[in-house]
């Protein structure tokens, strides 16, 4: 089966990946751990819609989690809100914080 890709894949910058908190690998069903299903919601993923969450290290080895867009957007949004509360730069002047801007751009990208 071939699917025509109509949307650009969302590419999460490496330095933002650690800010995206994942459920612990030990509690996940096999399909979510393998990246066949969304790591948060368990929705089936296709190459055209899946968001790559990078390579993660765990005690049991390397892990390549993937997720659907709505779940990723929710988590990135939470990361952005959480960031604002603890970043000195954001308390001072949020408009010049690179991290906040990068998270915000990612939220917008995931809305498409
Ligand atoms: Zn999902
Ligand atoms: Zn900040």
């Amino acid at each position: 089966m071939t699917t025509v890709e109509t949307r650009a894949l969302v590419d999460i910058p490496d330095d933002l990946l650690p800010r995206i908190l994942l459920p612990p690998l030990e509690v996940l069903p096999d399909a979510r751990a393998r990246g066949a299903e969304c790591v948060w919601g368990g929705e089936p993923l296709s190459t055209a819609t899946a968001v790559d969450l990078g390579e993660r290290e765990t005690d049991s080895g390397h892990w390549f989690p993937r997720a659907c867009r709505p779940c990723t957007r929710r988590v990135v949004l939470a990361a952005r809100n959480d960031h604002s509360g603890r970043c000195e730069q954001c308390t001072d002047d949020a408009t010049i914080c690179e991290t906040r801007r990068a998270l915000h751009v990612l939220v917008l990208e995931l809305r498409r």
Side-chain angles (χ1 to χ4, degrees), residues 1-5 48:
M1 189 180 82
T2 43
T3 43
V4 180
E5 212 169 284

Side-chain angles (χ1 to χ4, degrees), residues 37-43 45 67-72 74:
E37 293 179 357
C38 170
V39 73
W40 289 291
E43 302 88 331
L45 297 171
C68 71
R69 283 177 185 235
C71 289
T72 310
R74 203 180 61 226

